[in-house]
Amino acid sequence: MTRLAVTEKIIETKVRKQIQWKDVAAALGLSKEWVTAGCLGQMAFSLEEAQKIGAIFDLDDMDIKWLQEVPYKGSLPESVPTDPLIYRWYELVNVYGTTIKALIHEEFGDGIMSAIDFSMKLEREPDPKGDRVSVILSGKFLPYKRY
Amino acid sequence: MTRLAVTEKIIETKVRKQIQWKDVAAALGLSKEWVTAGCLGQMAFSLEEAQKIGAIFDLDDMDIKWLQEVPYKGSLPESVPTDPLIYRWYELVNVYGTTIKALIHEEFGDGIMSAIDFSMKLEREPDPKGDRVSVILSGKFLPYKRY
Amino acid sequence: MTRLAVTEKIIETKVRKQIQWKDVAAALGLSKEWVTAGCLGQMAFSLEEAQKIGAIFDLDDMDIKWLQEVPYKGSLPESVPTDPLIYRWYELVNVYGTTIKALIHEEFGDGIMSAIDFSMKLEREPDPKGDRVSVILSGKFLPYKRY
Amino acid sequence: MTRLAVTEKIIETKVRKQIQWKDVAAALGLSKEWVTAGCLGQMAFSLEEAQKIGAIFDLDDMDIKWLQEVPYKGSLPESVPTDPLIYRWYELVNVYGTTIKALIHEEFGDGIMSAIDFSMKLEREPDPKGDRVSVILSGKFLPYKRY
Amino acid sequence: MTRLAVTEKIIETKVRKQIQWKDVAAALGLSKEWVTAGCLGQMAFSLEEAQKIGAIFDLDDMDIKWLQEVPYKGSLPESVPTDPLIYRWYELVNVYGTTIKALIHEEFGDGIMSAIDFSMKLEREPDPKGDRVSVILSGKFLPYKRY
Amino acid sequence: MTRLAVTEKIIETKVRKQIQWKDVAAALGLSKEWVTAGCLGQMAFSLEEAQKIGAIFDLDDMDIKWLQEVPYKGSLPESVPTDPLIYRWYELVNVYGTTIKALIHEEFGDGIMSAIDFSMKLEREPDPKGDRVSVILSGKFLPYKRY
Amino acid sequence: MTRLAVTEKIIETKVRKQIQWKDVAAALGLSKEWVTAGCLGQMAFSLEEAQKIGAIFDLDDMDIKWLQEVPYKGSLPESVPTDPLIYRWYELVNVYGTTIKALIHEEFGDGIMSAIDFSMKLEREPDPKGDRVSVILSGKFLPYKRY
Amino acid sequence: MTRLAVTEKIIETKVRKQIQWKDVAAALGLSKEWVTAGCLGQMAFSLEEAQKIGAIFDLDDMDIKWLQEVPYKGSLPESVPTDPLIYRWYELVNVYGTTIKALIHEEFGDGIMSAIDFSMKLEREPDPKGDRVSVILSGKFLPYKRY
Amino acid sequence: MTRLAVTEKIIETKVRKQIQWKDVAAALGLSKEWVTAGCLGQMAFSLEEAQKIGAIFDLDDMDIKWLQEVPYKGSLPESVPTDPLIYRWYELVNVYGTTIKALIHEEFGDGIMSAIDFSMKLEREPDPKGDRVSVILSGKFLPYKRY
Amino acid sequence: MTRLAVTEKIIETKVRKQIQWKDVAAALGLSKEWVTAGCLGQMAFSLEEAQKIGAIFDLDDMDIKWLQEVPYKGSLPESVPTDPLIYRWYELVNVYGTTIKALIHEEFGDGIMSAIDFSMKLEREPDPKGDRVSVILSGKFLPYKRY
């Protein structure tokens, strides 16, 4: 459970020192999406990355070791999220889930879109009627093996 | 519950006549993502659209009326989906949920990405290491009202 | 989880110093509904607001920083609330949910009543047969985007 | 379970004959909110009311008897609703639940807002930035009995 | 959550000093049922009552303030209770629930038996075949408002 | 599942012929509480009783045999009931559960109040401030066996 | 919750001093099944028994008082147990539940086998094909009261 | 799902012809516990046994084939059973689960009591204070393999 | 839901004609594991395969079309399976889940073992102490993409 | 709950001293699969093994005693695991569960594959298209006892 303690220390320091996730990402030379996920306890860092993060968030040696461990993933406290922003994403899966399934199978056949060989890009899309959140997801298609 | 019966009739006819979702969308002049969601019982159609869909899927007058009704939305039979393709999306929300929340708040402040004023585009992204599924989500940012 | 600690500190000080929510709201020049929600950990405050709240509830600098962070929302410990007062609201959703849905769609078409661009006003309504609680909810109608 | 069958017959006839809930309410001289809830299986009608509804929706004698029975209430198929419109209301309870509780107790002391001696009024509120849904809830305050 | 701490302090002192609930009730001049519910964190006390309870259970000033706060009610750790004594009551609701509903509606029409304007009296009923627990529940009937 | 079919047939005939539970009970010479529970599928009848019930509700021979079978008990469709009248009873268990437990143990020691050697009496209690529902529960106390 | 703390203290001392449950039972002159259940927080002890247990497990006076309190029963952390040994018992209930019900009703009529006026005896049954666990359960049959 | 249909046919015929489980068992020369479990859809029969059962319950050839199939086991409709008789067994697992675990491990070490190489014997135990249900369970102890 | 109907038809025919899964697999020239999964509604077949299966199980043209559709996967009716054989596998995940995770990460780093590019081989392993079930699972390791 | 504390201490020391599970297993002369499961709190060790583990992970005498106790097994915090690696195994049970059941019954008849008399071997399988995880499971077949 100690990786969780490192995550909480990172969040607390972020609030205290008013650090921005995009600046952390820039310091590591990686995307802000992957770096934030890692800082929030969902990814494992290399030694070098962990040391840079340690420097930014005032972590000690043991914390830096923890950052290199593969964590037990899953960032939400309930199976149906209560937070309105995160719930909207769950709602997308609920409303559009069978649509996504139908269209991927129509295009690719039986298989899945990988959530491992996967990247995400989240950006502001200016719009006179109110800016939009634009998210680009890219996952490798993996066909079911027949044997 | 009768809208569900229309959905099942559409799916059965699609299998029998080997109809493609993209062709249905083309006949309506709308995106394949929105049209498929509607055919799968998640959106309401206009009279004209419902009639075109009725012609494609051999629906009767009552079915066409149902297609114009706002449905009770939610396309999945359980709160944690069992289908591997749809589960991968649920997993994205679970693993990346707090990351998405953190980055949207960093960029926009308190509020949500709308799942109503929202569009989705799903495409094949050719890649020599194996083609990828590319999905672009675009939702209006809605700030929390203060009063 | 530290925002939660600030919420608990606020509640404890409120009990000790016998502070009224409406007085907190008056000090901020905002509605008592929104301010109470914020103090109970559901909204993010501006710097100036957070400082005023800090002064009222004897908070330290770090607490005041936390008040400006967007919290993980959701104020109830279970998906079906056990507290009788809160349960009555859940019961309203359960008994009247489909009615609300039917009437909004009859008036507006497919879409939702926003819970973000939203305000609430709660007041005592004097009545000789026993006073009533009057609540006015106002949420922007958001139509489903077609694309 | 037969009251449910009457509800489904009413909904089906409504779609077929394109009946509006507000017209049904007008024919009964009652609010559209209460009448719709009754037609959707949540309230019991008097004989006279049931006969008027029977005439509108082509119901037989047995159906009209069922409309006078007190139903097993609860209109949603899951404890956390999946439909986006209804979920927004559940979200209000989740986000604002403790706020509502705090403010009612501050004003009235220990007790609840009745969901039985209760009325609701749902209206369109024109707004140049987009029309709003306005809902007025009025419930008798019931103090806890001490004995 | 501090009201919970006061409840735990009361229970601990009760065990240590071997206090009886009926004696606490007698000291307050109220029923043992309501007083016990209050001491177990389900009701709010007046200042005078809280002070008497404080004297009996060695509480400090802050605890006495907490006793006057309306608590978040709900005394059980799970939705289906595991304790055999409490489960038997849950079983009554499960087995006799529809019977109670049918008989109240037959006698009173649509409405509920209040759990707020409510009292309970629990007594030993001597019986040669083994003493019985006798419980008298009395709740105001509240008819559904029509509007 | 066929006992359930008999229950549904009884309910349907009751609505059609406008039968009262208390009249059924009078015909059998038993309490209306126990007889209603039996007709709603929670108790087993003797041959003679089953024949009387069969005569009242137009049942056939096979139905009358089913009424003599011990049913799979449990009359509610969910573990937390949605019907407001039945929910109030669940709420009593939730709010008063630990109180009931504490008072029974204070009076009787470790054990339970039987839900099998148990009777219930439900009556109208006239009251100028609004009539009340009075329910008397009587269950044998069963001490835990020590061995 | 302090009874739980006594249970944990007992378990810790048992591990440290390598105490056997059967020796504790012998010291009390009661069955090992009932005594173990009590030590694991499911039964209340008499003063004399509690003092003997206190001597064996190095408990202080307050702990000994707690042992005489009736506990909130239920020894498992989830409704479907994860521990393989305990799960096998849950599986018995799942696979044989309706069989047990059918056979008891065939022999005794409507009623239950008491879990309160109940005893259990667990022993090793030598067997050349591998020793067996033999468990004898004995519970009083309680017929449903008719009234 | 067709094995379930055979189970329902058996139960219906049992009610119609008033067959006793013990007579079915005698006809097969096996225990009433195992035979009842099989008839209730939890065990697979041999061809000869299935034919005897078919003769007793008026089954056709296809039904007799189904009786020889290994069924999907699990006889209860919910994870926490609502029927009072079956619930008492679930309660035993809940209250005595850790006791059973502790005593088996004390006697045998790490491992389980098999629910497969298992037998059960259920009998009436005459008792002047009220007859008792006696159940003898016997399961092979299976030690965890070390490797 | 019609794919489910094809699965049920296949199972029924299998029982009637006493077909073996391994013979179906041999007729298709594929493994019995993959073919059985497909016949049980978890995989999509090619046209040629579907026709062969149709011939074996007496399916009509529409059924054969359904066999070529990608199904909504998930073969179990509950999230924790009740069938003892399948539960043992769930137990393996519960008891050994963190072990499997630890060992794969120790050998491969952060990533997963694919359940898509995956094969399974199930065989009898003769053993004088009782034959064993041997299962070989082989899944491609997929490292988390960094970006 | 103290066995859990030993598990956490082991994990923390492993991270600090960068210990490999396979080296721990080698020191004990047992498989890495069983030893890791034991270190993660799922198996009981002998005195000698516990002392070796204590030496490797800097444990004290009390910890070493705990390692010899049979733990309450179950290594996952939820019934449906959120961690992607462990979820893939749960998905296998969900997708292939009925297939595994069908094939074992076809080969062995009614019974189960033991999860107790069971071993597991996890290895890297080199593959030019990307290395694979190979897992060999071997469990004794246990036929259902007939009696």
Side-chain angles (χ1 to χ4, degrees), chain H residues 29-35 42-46 49 70-73 98 101 105 109-112 114-121 138 140 142-147, chain J residues 29-35 42-46 49 70-73 98 101 105 109-112 114-121 138 140 142-147:
Chain H
L30 287 163
S31 72
K32 69 182 183 303
E33 290 78 10
W34 191 86
V35 171
Q42 304 300 312
M43 301 290 161
F45 291 102
S46 70
E49 292 160 358
V70 181
Y72 187 93
K73 296 180 171 73
T98 49
K101 179 175 170 68
H105 292 328
D110 197 2
I112 62 154
S114 182
I116 308 295
D117 187 340
F118 167 86
S119 67
M120 178 170 64
K121 199 167 165 58
S138 168
K140 191 176 179 183
L142 303 178
Y144 259 95
K145 177 174 172 172
R146 318 175 78 248
Y147 54 100
Chain J
L30 289 162
S31 72
K32 69 181 182 302
E33 290 78 9
W34 192 86
V35 171
Q42 304 301 313
M43 301 289 161
F45 290 103
S46 69
E49 292 160 358
V70 180
Y72 187 93
K73 296 178 170 74
T98 49
K101 180 175 170 68
H105 293 328
D110 197 2
I112 61 154
S114 182
I116 308 295
D117 186 340
F118 167 85
S119 67
M120 178 170 64
K121 201 167 164 57
S138 168
K140 191 177 179 182
L142 302 178
Y144 259 96
K145 177 174 173 171
R146 318 173 80 247
Y147 54 97

Side-chain angles (χ1 to χ4, degrees), chain F residues 31 49 71 73 110 146-147, chain G residues 31 49 73 110 146-147:
Chain F
S31 72
E49 292 160 358
K73 295 180 171 74
D110 197 1
R146 318 174 80 247
Y147 54 99
Chain G
S31 72
E49 292 160 359
K73 296 178 170 73
D110 197 1
R146 320 175 77 248
Y147 53 97

Side-chain angles (χ1 to χ4, degrees), chain A residues 3 34 37-45 67 69-71 73, chain B residues 95-96, chain I residues 110 144-145:
Chain A
R3 175 70 196 257
W34 191 85
C39 289
L40 293 176
Q42 304 300 313
M43 301 288 160
F45 291 102
L67 288 176
E69 292 291 308
V70 180
K73 295 180 171 74
Chain B
V95 171
Y96 282 101
Chain I
D110 198 1
Y144 260 95
K145 177 174 172 173

